Amino acid sequence: MATKLLLTFAICRLIVTVGLTLDPTELLLLGVDAQLSVDPTDVKAASLDFGLLIGAQPPLAVMHPASSQDVAQLVKAAYGSNFGFTVSARGHGHSINGQAQTANGVVVQMSGSKGGSGMASGRKPPHPRVWPQERFVDVWGGELWIDVLRSTLQHGLAPKSWTDYLYLSVGGTLSNAGISGQAFNHGPQISNVHELDVVTGKGELLTCSEEQNSEMFHAVLGGLGQFGIITRARISLEPAPQRVRWIRVLYSNFSIFTSDQEYLISLHEQPASQKFDYVEGFVIVDEGLINNWRSSFFSPHNPVKISSLDPNGGVLYCLEIAKNYHESTASTVDQEVESLLKKLNFIPASVFTTDLPYVDFLDRVHKAELKLRSKGLWEVPHPWLNLFVPKSKIADFDKGVFKGILGNKTSGPILIYPMNKNKWDHRSSAVTPDEDVFYLVALLRSALDNGEETHSLEYLTNQNRQILRFCDEAGITVKQYLPHYTTHQEWVDHFGNKWDRFYRLKMEFDPRHILASGQQIFTPTNMASWR
């Protein structure tokens, strides 16, 4: 009874705040009341994200859905109301700039619903269903990739394309792109989806694929949550390897480094024995990075000193590559790796190799997370900047940013690796540079209150602005990955020739701009102005 009264109070607050035309008891009769929560713990969690850059914006309520129908009923209520309260889907809360937040509506907590405090009914979202013969898996939109992996491995299968961090939701990464070192070979995660169930901004539940509602299918992939909430995804699978040969080599010459990276990704059409399965890299601008979490790979028994590799104290670049294999074929791995390494031009004394189980390799960042959490260094502001840089300008970016703006100090890893544009479907909403090869440059810094100016949030935020300004002035047409803009024109410029289609589909599938208002692409409208 107390829960009902509290929930009724929350719904009354919705009515007062946004002019909801439904009576509180009518909304309760929609059948979602057992999944709606105003528990302070739920509300607080939904008002924060990994970035910790945006002030907490508590929602009016949090929904813990157990099915696509639950989500559809809620969105339909928002769409039919007088002023349309907003609805934002939230996965694991790993956005940086409040993209999953909403202060004037309901957050749909897609991840964690299997144990959320709002699950008074005991109903839970469906578990992953693997189809071994067809080699795909159907998963709830809020499922974490680590749990998808665990389910598929029971059948000896695994998704083809990954993100570096597996504690992200399926719907969250598919709403952006989902990239890691396999993207050169298999494309991003959005290139490995067979089918989706999506709740539109009108509360309609649509199944879409290449053959069915295809325009919606491609729009949602990389669509930043603007057209619908992904409640089910059918993901492509392949036979899972058992182990990984993980290799890192160092370079002091940027041109040689990028030339080797580009050579490796050019092998994507070759047989598996003649290419690596994973190609990434990172930048070392100061010696401290060599011992941070990203570089924990290096053995303490064989310490790496930058001064010994580059006596001039310049920037170093690390190529990170991996070869998947089965224990039954372990005898051929050495020969295959040696053949590939012979064609590269890294510093000879800098080869570091380790072998580990496939799951441990994919889940490597989570282990680093646990270490950072134990030191109180995880739940801090993360002013991350992720950029797609065209191949033709990557040398200019190196000179102006890595060897210029960053100086010799950083406060987190800086990833850099190339991808093949032909592995991306141009029909998706994701935006990339207009060149055959482009690089991800990810400045994954953490702001620390440790008295050092170069680690402060203000310093790092200003440095990000400086980097973007440099790119603009130098004619480097970067595209932001996980984009964040605050003006309409910036979003139009970001989408470029995709904007007209993006806007048309927004008006078709979410005409009242109810969904994902935290992205700040469209402003929610009331019914009067909409009509």
Side-chain angles (χ1 to χ4, degrees):
M1 179 59 70
T3 301
K4 284 279 188 179
L5 290 174
L6 193 59
L7 182 59
T8 302
F9 172 78
I11 297 171
C12 289
R13 185 176 165 219
L14 278 172
I15 295 171
V16 172
T17 305
V18 298
L20 185 64
T21 58
L22 291 174
D23 179 272
T25 55
E26 290 182 84
L27 189 52
L28 293 175
L29 290 173
L30 287 175
V32 301
D33 57 296
Q35 283 74 46
L36 281 173
S37 171
V38 291
D39 185 292
T41 301
D42 284 347
V43 171
K44 181 180 179 181
S47 68
L48 300 171
D49 63 16
F50 180 69
L52 292 180
L53 304 177
I54 304 299
Q57 300 184 52
L60 301 177
V62 178
M63 182 190 198
H64 296 271
S67 67
S68 299
Q69 288 71 26
D70 289 346
V71 179
Q73 287 174 327
L74 177 70
V75 177
K76 187 174 293 185
Y79 180 71
S81 69
N82 193 31
F83 287 93
F85 58 88
T86 56
V87 176
S88 287
R90 183 180 189 273
H92 200 223
H94 224 261
S95 56
I96 302 300
N97 292 285
Q99 286 93 334
Q101 296 176 7
T102 178
N104 296 306
V106 177
V107 166
V108 181
Q109 184 59 58
M110 297 292 291
S111 298
S113 292
K114 292 174 183 178
S117 60
M119 296 300 294
S121 69
R123 296 166 56 233
K124 299 178 180 180
H127 288 283
R129 181 180 181 186
V130 180
W131 303 77
Q133 297 300 320
E134 295 82 358
R135 289 190 179 178
F136 59 69
V137 58
D138 286 322
V139 297
W140 171 249
E143 199 75 48
L144 300 185
W145 283 102
I146 181 65
D147 295 320
V148 176
L149 176 62
R150 288 166 178 160
S151 296
T152 59
L153 284 177
Q154 294 177 17
H155 301 268
L157 300 169
K160 301 174 182 178
S161 191
W162 293 98
T163 57
D164 285 338
Y165 182 58
L166 302 189
Y167 287 74
L168 303 173
S169 70
V170 170
T173 65
L174 296 184
S175 294
N176 288 280
I179 55 175
S180 185
Q182 305 88 2
F184 82 94
N185 198 26
H186 294 293
Q189 289 181 318
I190 58 174
S191 294
N192 295 277
V193 180
H194 291 298
E195 188 176 273
L196 298 170
D197 283 346
V198 178
V199 174
T200 74
K202 298 177 182 178
E204 301 169 327
L205 178 57
L206 299 180
T207 296
C208 51
S209 64
E210 286 275 6
E211 296 77 26
Q212 183 179 6
N213 296 312
S214 61
E215 195 167 48
M216 179 62 157
F217 178 71
H218 294 296
V220 169
L221 295 172
L224 305 178
Q226 293 303 301
F227 311 107
I229 297 174
I230 297 171
T231 58
R232 179 186 63 91
R234 178 166 286 180
I235 309 296
S236 180
L237 303 176
E238 66 178 357
Q242 293 173 321
R243 296 189 65 79
V244 173
R245 174 72 54 84
W246 187 12
I247 305 162
R248 287 180 174 177
V249 295
L250 297 176
Y251 296 74
S252 59
N253 184 294
F254 185 73
S255 177
I256 295 175
F257 168 70
T258 54
S259 178
D260 278 1
Q261 281 195 319
E262 289 165 17
Y263 165 71
L264 290 176
I265 73 165
S266 74
L267 303 176
H268 62 91
E269 297 294 347
Q270 296 298 317
S273 62
Q274 299 177 31
K275 64 185 176 183
F276 285 110
D277 298 288
Y278 165 99
V279 176
E280 283 200 13
F282 59 92
V283 182
I284 304 170
V285 300
D286 69 89
E287 192 160 345
L289 180 61
I290 210 72
N291 296 314
N292 87 343
W293 69 266
R294 184 76 190 183
S295 300
S296 60
F297 171 94
F298 297 107
S299 170
H301 302 296
N302 190 8
V304 179
K305 293 291 185 182
I306 288 181
S307 57
S308 68
L309 299 174
D310 187 355
N312 297 319
V315 177
L316 283 176
Y317 310 93
C318 180
L319 172 63
E320 186 175 37
I321 43 187
K323 186 79 172 169
N324 301 336
Y325 66 96
H326 294 269
E327 292 179 356
S328 60
T329 60
S331 59
T332 66
V333 173
D334 290 342
Q335 182 179 349
E336 292 175 5
V337 168
E338 183 179 356
S339 176
L340 287 164
L341 290 180
K342 281 182 178 178
K343 299 175 182 178
L344 306 181
N345 297 287
F346 49 85
I347 299 171
S350 70
V351 182
F352 300 88
T353 302
T354 188
D355 280 69
L356 70 170
Y358 182 61
V359 175
D360 289 355
F361 173 74
L362 291 181
D363 201 30
R364 62 200 179 280
V365 176
H366 179 59
K367 295 180 180 179
E369 173 195 346
L370 296 178
K371 293 180 182 179
L372 290 174
R373 283 188 181 277
S374 69
K375 298 177 182 178
L377 298 176
W378 184 258
E379 294 180 354
V380 297
H382 295 95
W384 287 9
L385 181 63
N386 295 274
L387 302 173
F388 288 150
V389 182
K391 169 187 169 181
S392 65
K393 296 292 185 178
I394 195 64
D396 295 336
F397 191 95
D398 169 64
K399 183 177 180 180
V401 178
F402 301 149
K403 295 187 176 79
I405 293 172
L406 295 182
N408 63 352
K409 291 290 183 181
T410 186
S411 61
I414 303 169
L415 308 187
I416 175 171
Y417 57 90
M419 287 173 277
N420 296 306
K421 189 178 179 71
N422 64 4
K423 297 293 183 176
W424 294 62
D425 194 322
H426 70 277
R427 296 170 296 178
S428 78
S429 294
V431 178
T432 63
D434 191 20
E435 292 191 9
D436 292 340
V437 172
F438 59 91
Y439 281 78
L440 170 75
V441 176
L443 295 99
L444 309 180
R445 282 93 66 81
S446 300
L448 306 176
D449 187 16
N450 60 3
E452 290 192 37
E453 180 190 6
T454 56
H455 290 172
S456 69
L457 179 59
E458 181 181 7
Y459 181 90
L460 294 173
T461 301
N462 287 336
Q463 197 172 70
N464 285 345
R465 295 193 190 101
Q466 190 179 356
I467 291 169
L468 292 172
R469 185 165 58 249
F470 163 76
C471 291
D472 185 53
E473 293 173 352
I476 304 175
T477 54
V478 298
K479 292 294 184 181
Q480 286 191 31
Y481 178 61
L482 312 178
H484 172 64
Y485 301 103
T486 57
T487 70
H488 173 75
Q489 189 58 49
E490 286 174 323
W491 281 111
V492 173
D493 293 342
H494 170 75
F495 284 104
N497 59 15
K498 288 190 175 185
W499 172 256
D500 288 344
R501 171 178 171 269
F502 195 88
Y503 178 79
R504 175 178 62 80
L505 293 175
K506 179 69 172 181
M507 294 307 297
E508 179 178 350
F509 294 112
D510 183 24
R512 298 188 62 193
H513 307 169
I514 288 168
L515 302 177
S517 59
Q519 294 279 2
Q520 299 185 52
I521 305 176
F522 300 95
T523 302
T525 61
N526 60 43
M527 183 67 82
S529 63
W530 176 55
R531 288 176 175 172

Coordinates of all heavy atoms in Angstrom, one line a residue, residues 71-123:
V71 N 7.6 -1.0 -22.0 CA 8.2 0.2 -22.5 C 7.2 0.9 -23.4 O 7.0 2.1 -23.4 CB 9.5 -0.1 -23.3 CG1 10.1 1.1 -23.9 CG2 10.5 -0.8 -22.3
A72 N 6.5 0.1 -24.3 CA 5.6 0.7 -25.2 C 4.4 1.4 -24.5 O 4.0 2.5 -25.0 CB 5.1 -0.4 -26.2
Q73 N 3.9 0.8 -23.5 CA 2.8 1.4 -22.7 C 3.2 2.8 -22.1 O 2.5 3.7 -22.1 CB 2.3 0.5 -21.6 CG 1.5 -0.7 -22.2 CD 1.2 -1.7 -21.1 OE1 1.9 -1.9 -20.2 NE2 0.0 -2.4 -21.3
L74 N 4.4 2.8 -21.6 CA 4.9 4.1 -21.0 C 5.1 5.2 -22.1 O 4.6 6.3 -21.9 CB 6.2 3.8 -20.3 CG 6.9 5.1 -19.7 CD1 6.1 5.6 -18.5 CD2 8.3 4.8 -19.3
V75 N 5.7 4.8 -23.2 CA 5.9 5.8 -24.2 C 4.6 6.3 -24.8 O 4.4 7.4 -25.1 CB 6.9 5.3 -25.3 CG1 7.1 6.3 -26.4 CG2 8.2 4.9 -24.7
K76 N 3.7 5.3 -25.0 CA 2.4 5.7 -25.5 C 1.6 6.7 -24.6 O 1.0 7.6 -25.0 CB 1.5 4.4 -25.7 CG 0.2 4.6 -26.4 CD -0.5 3.3 -26.7 CE 0.3 2.5 -27.7 NZ -0.5 1.3 -28.1
A77 N 1.8 6.5 -23.3 CA 1.2 7.4 -22.3 C 1.8 8.8 -22.5 O 1.1 9.8 -22.4 CB 1.4 6.9 -20.9
A78 N 3.1 8.8 -22.6 CA 3.8 10.1 -22.8 C 3.4 10.8 -24.1 O 3.1 12.0 -24.2 CB 5.3 9.9 -22.8
Y79 N 3.2 10.0 -25.2 CA 2.8 10.5 -26.5 C 1.4 11.1 -26.5 O 1.1 12.1 -27.1 CB 3.0 9.5 -27.5 CG 2.6 9.9 -28.9 CD1 3.4 10.8 -29.7 CD2 1.4 9.4 -29.5 CE1 3.0 11.1 -30.9 CE2 1.1 9.8 -30.8 CZ 1.9 10.6 -31.5 OH 1.5 11.0 -32.8
G80 N 0.5 10.4 -25.7 CA -0.9 10.8 -25.7 C -1.2 11.9 -24.7 O -2.3 12.4 -24.6
S81 N -0.2 12.3 -23.8 CA -0.5 13.3 -22.8 C -0.5 14.7 -23.4 O -0.1 14.9 -24.6 CB 0.6 13.2 -21.7 OG 1.8 13.7 -22.2
N82 N -1.0 15.6 -22.6 CA -1.2 17.0 -23.1 C 0.2 17.7 -23.5 O 0.3 18.4 -24.5 CB -1.9 17.8 -22.1 CG -2.4 19.1 -22.7 OD1 -2.7 19.2 -23.8 ND2 -2.5 20.1 -21.8
F83 N 1.2 17.4 -22.6 CA 2.5 18.1 -22.8 C 3.6 17.1 -23.1 O 4.7 17.5 -23.3 CB 2.8 19.0 -21.7 CG 2.0 20.3 -21.7 CD1 0.8 20.3 -20.9 CD2 2.3 21.4 -22.4 CE1 0.0 21.5 -20.9 CE2 1.6 22.5 -22.4 CZ 0.4 22.6 -21.6
G84 N 3.3 15.8 -23.0 CA 4.3 14.8 -23.3 C 5.5 14.8 -22.5 O 6.6 15.4 -22.8
F85 N 5.5 14.2 -21.3 CA 6.7 14.0 -20.5 C 7.7 13.2 -21.3 O 7.4 12.3 -22.1 CB 6.4 13.4 -19.1 CG 5.8 12.0 -19.2 CD1 6.5 10.9 -19.2 CD2 4.4 11.9 -19.1 CE1 6.0 9.6 -19.2 CE2 3.8 10.6 -19.1 CZ 4.6 9.5 -19.2
T86 N 9.0 13.5 -21.1 CA 10.0 12.8 -21.8 C 10.3 11.4 -21.3 O 10.0 11.1 -20.1 CB 11.3 13.6 -21.8 OG1 11.7 13.8 -20.5 CG2 11.1 14.9 -22.5
V87 N 10.9 10.6 -22.1 CA 11.3 9.2 -21.7 C 12.7 8.9 -22.3 O 13.0 9.1 -23.4 CB 10.3 8.2 -22.4 CG1 10.8 6.7 -22.0 CG2 8.9 8.4 -21.9
S88 N 13.6 8.6 -21.3 CA 15.0 8.3 -21.7 C 15.4 6.9 -21.3 O 15.2 6.5 -20.1 CB 15.9 9.3 -21.1 OG 15.8 10.6 -21.7
A89 N 15.9 6.1 -22.3 CA 16.4 4.8 -22.0 C 17.8 4.9 -21.4 O 18.6 5.6 -21.9 CB 16.4 3.9 -23.2
R90 N 18.1 4.1 -20.4 CA 19.4 4.1 -19.7 C 19.9 2.7 -19.6 O 19.1 1.8 -19.2 CB 19.3 4.8 -18.3 CG 20.6 4.9 -17.6 CD 20.4 5.5 -16.3 NE 21.7 5.9 -15.6 CZ 22.4 5.1 -14.8 NH1 21.9 3.8 -14.6 NH2 23.5 5.5 -14.2
G91 N 21.1 2.4 -20.1 CA 21.6 1.1 -20.0 C 22.5 1.0 -18.7 O 21.9 1.0 -17.6
H92 N 23.8 0.9 -18.9 CA 24.7 0.8 -17.7 C 25.1 2.2 -17.2 O 26.0 2.3 -16.4 CB 25.9 0.0 -18.0 CG 26.6 -0.6 -16.8 ND1 27.9 -0.6 -16.7 CD2 26.1 -1.1 -15.7 CE1 28.3 -1.2 -15.5 NE2 27.2 -1.5 -14.9
G93 N 24.6 3.3 -17.8 CA 24.9 4.6 -17.4 C 26.3 5.0 -17.7 O 26.9 5.8 -17.0
H94 N 26.8 4.6 -18.9 CA 28.2 4.9 -19.2 C 28.3 6.0 -20.2 O 29.4 6.2 -20.8 CB 28.8 3.6 -19.9 CG 30.2 3.4 -19.3 ND1 31.4 3.7 -20.0 CD2 30.7 2.8 -18.2 CE1 32.4 3.4 -19.3 NE2 32.0 2.8 -18.2
S95 N 27.3 6.8 -20.3 CA 27.4 8.0 -21.2 C 28.2 9.1 -20.4 O 28.5 9.0 -19.2 CB 26.0 8.6 -21.5 OG 25.2 8.8 -20.3
I96 N 28.7 10.1 -21.2 CA 29.6 11.0 -20.6 C 29.0 12.4 -20.3 O 29.4 13.0 -19.3 CB 30.8 11.2 -21.6 CG1 31.5 9.9 -21.9 CG2 31.8 12.2 -21.1 CD1 32.1 9.2 -20.7
N97 N 28.0 12.8 -21.1 CA 27.5 14.1 -21.0 C 26.0 14.1 -20.7 O 25.3 15.0 -21.2 CB 27.8 14.9 -22.3 CG 29.3 15.2 -22.4 OD1 29.8 16.1 -21.7 ND2 29.9 14.5 -23.3
G98 N 25.5 13.2 -19.9 CA 24.1 13.2 -19.5 C 23.1 12.8 -20.6 O 21.9 13.1 -20.6
Q99 N 23.6 12.0 -21.6 CA 22.7 11.7 -22.7 C 21.5 10.8 -22.3 O 20.5 10.8 -23.0 CB 23.5 10.9 -23.8 CG 24.5 11.8 -24.6 CD 25.9 11.9 -24.0 OE1 26.1 11.7 -22.8 NE2 26.9 12.1 -24.9
A100 N 21.6 10.1 -21.2 CA 20.5 9.2 -20.8 C 19.7 9.8 -19.7 O 18.8 9.2 -19.1 CB 21.0 7.9 -20.4
Q101 N 19.9 11.1 -19.4 CA 19.2 11.7 -18.3 C 18.0 12.5 -18.8 O 17.9 12.8 -20.0 CB 20.1 12.8 -17.6 CG 21.3 12.1 -16.9 CD 22.3 13.2 -16.3 OE1 22.0 14.4 -16.2 NE2 23.4 12.7 -15.8
T102 N 17.0 12.7 -17.9 CA 15.9 13.6 -18.2 C 15.4 14.1 -16.8 O 15.2 13.3 -15.9 CB 14.8 12.9 -18.9 OG1 13.7 13.8 -19.1 CG2 14.3 11.6 -18.2
A103 N 15.2 15.4 -16.8 CA 14.7 16.0 -15.5 C 13.2 16.1 -15.5 O 12.6 16.4 -14.5 CB 15.4 17.4 -15.3
N104 N 12.6 15.9 -16.7 CA 11.1 16.2 -16.7 C 10.4 15.0 -17.3 O 9.4 15.1 -18.1 CB 10.9 17.4 -17.7 CG 11.4 18.7 -17.1 OD1 11.1 19.0 -16.0 ND2 12.2 19.4 -17.9
G105 N 10.8 13.8 -16.8 CA 10.1 12.6 -17.3 C 10.6 11.4 -16.6 O 11.0 11.4 -15.4
V106 N 10.5 10.3 -17.3 CA 10.8 9.0 -16.8 C 12.0 8.4 -17.4 O 12.2 8.4 -18.6 CB 9.6 8.0 -17.0 CG1 9.9 6.6 -16.4 CG2 8.4 8.6 -16.3
V107 N 13.0 7.9 -16.6 CA 14.1 7.1 -17.1 C 13.7 5.6 -17.1 O 13.3 5.1 -16.1 CB 15.4 7.3 -16.3 CG1 16.4 6.3 -16.6 CG2 15.9 8.7 -16.5
V108 N 13.9 5.0 -18.3 CA 13.6 3.6 -18.4 C 15.0 2.9 -18.2 O 15.9 2.9 -19.0 CB 13.1 3.2 -19.8 CG1 12.8 1.7 -19.9 CG2 11.8 4.0 -20.1
Q109 N 15.1 2.2 -17.0 CA 16.3 1.6 -16.6 C 16.4 0.2 -17.3 O 15.9 -0.8 -16.7 CB 16.4 1.5 -15.1 CG 17.7 0.9 -14.6 CD 18.9 1.7 -15.0 OE1 19.1 2.9 -14.8 NE2 19.8 1.0 -15.8
M110 N 17.0 0.1 -18.5 CA 17.0 -1.1 -19.2 C 17.9 -2.2 -18.7 O 17.6 -3.3 -18.7 CB 17.4 -0.8 -20.7 CG 16.4 0.1 -21.4 SD 14.8 -0.7 -21.7 CE 15.2 -1.9 -22.9
S111 N 19.1 -1.7 -18.1 CA 20.0 -2.7 -17.5 C 19.8 -2.7 -16.0 O 19.4 -1.8 -15.4 CB 21.4 -2.2 -17.8 OG 21.7 -2.2 -19.2
G112 N 20.0 -3.9 -15.5 CA 19.8 -4.1 -14.0 C 18.3 -4.3 -13.7 O 18.0 -4.4 -12.5
S113 N 17.5 -4.4 -14.7 CA 16.0 -4.6 -14.4 C 15.7 -6.0 -13.7 O 14.7 -6.2 -13.1 CB 15.2 -4.5 -15.7 OG 15.2 -3.1 -16.1
K114 N 16.7 -6.9 -13.9 CA 16.4 -8.2 -13.3 C 16.5 -8.2 -11.8 O 16.2 -9.2 -11.2 CB 17.4 -9.2 -14.0 CG 17.2 -9.4 -15.5 CD 18.2 -10.3 -16.1 CE 17.9 -10.4 -17.6 NZ 18.9 -11.2 -18.3
G115 N 17.1 -7.1 -11.3 CA 17.1 -7.1 -9.8 C 16.8 -5.7 -9.3 O 17.2 -5.4 -8.1
G116 N 16.2 -4.9 -10.1 CA 16.0 -3.5 -9.6 C 15.0 -3.4 -8.5 O 14.1 -4.3 -8.3
S117 N 15.1 -2.3 -7.7 CA 14.2 -2.2 -6.6 C 12.8 -1.9 -7.0 O 11.8 -2.0 -6.2 CB 14.7 -1.0 -5.7 OG 14.7 0.2 -6.4
G118 N 12.6 -1.6 -8.3 CA 11.2 -1.3 -8.8 C 10.5 -2.6 -9.2 O 9.4 -2.5 -9.7
M119 N 11.1 -3.7 -9.2 CA 10.5 -5.0 -9.7 C 9.6 -5.6 -8.7 O 9.8 -6.8 -8.3 CB 11.6 -5.9 -10.1 CG 12.5 -5.4 -11.3 SD 11.5 -5.0 -12.7 CE 11.0 -6.7 -13.2
A120 N 8.6 -4.9 -8.3 CA 7.7 -5.4 -7.2 C 6.9 -6.6 -7.8 O 6.5 -7.5 -7.0 CB 6.7 -4.3 -6.8
S121 N 6.7 -6.7 -9.1 CA 5.9 -7.8 -9.6 C 6.6 -9.1 -9.7 O 6.0 -10.1 -9.9 CB 5.4 -7.4 -11.0 OG 6.5 -7.3 -11.9
G122 N 8.0 -9.0 -9.6 CA 8.7 -10.2 -9.8 C 9.0 -10.6 -11.3 O 9.7 -11.5 -11.6
R123 N 8.4 -9.8 -12.2 CA 8.6 -10.1 -13.6 C 10.0 -9.6 -14.0 O 10.4 -8.6 -13.5 CB 7.5 -9.4 -14.5 CG 6.1 -10.0 -14.2 CD 5.0 -9.1 -14.8 NE 5.2 -8.9 -16.2 CZ 5.3 -7.6 -16.8 NH1 5.2 -6.6 -16.0 NH2 5.4 -7.5 -18.1

